[in-house]
Amino acid sequence: MNHPAPERPADVVARLRATFRTGRTKPVEWRTGQLRRLRALLTENGSDLEAALHPDLGKS
């Protein structure tokens, strides 16, 4: 699996602030959609996430 190079924290913050300034993150519909997609991601990949976290946290 090829992963892109990690972004520098300052670049991530700048990108997120620029997105916020567009107003795209403000509508309730957009935020609700993001939460629905997050729920789907966790539902579909919960066991993979648990397997990845277990070595770090030592818990399920």
Side-chain angles (χ1 to χ4, degrees):
M1 214 183 311
N2 292 335
H3 297 285
E7 294 180 79
R8 294 181 319 138
D11 294 338
V12 173
V13 170
R15 181 175 48 80
L16 293 173
R17 285 183 177 158
T19 299
F20 180 77
R21 282 192 293 274
T22 68
R24 189 177 106 183
T25 61
K26 294 180 183 177
V28 172
E29 297 82 13
W30 185 87
R31 290 180 291 171
T32 303
Q34 292 293 302
L35 290 172
R36 285 190 179 120
R37 285 188 282 282
L38 176 60
R39 181 177 55 200
L41 173 78
L42 294 174
T43 300
E44 294 168 8
N45 299 293
S47 59
D48 291 338
L49 180 60
E50 181 181 343
L53 289 174
H54 190 277
D56 291 335
L57 303 177
K59 302 176 185 174
S60 59

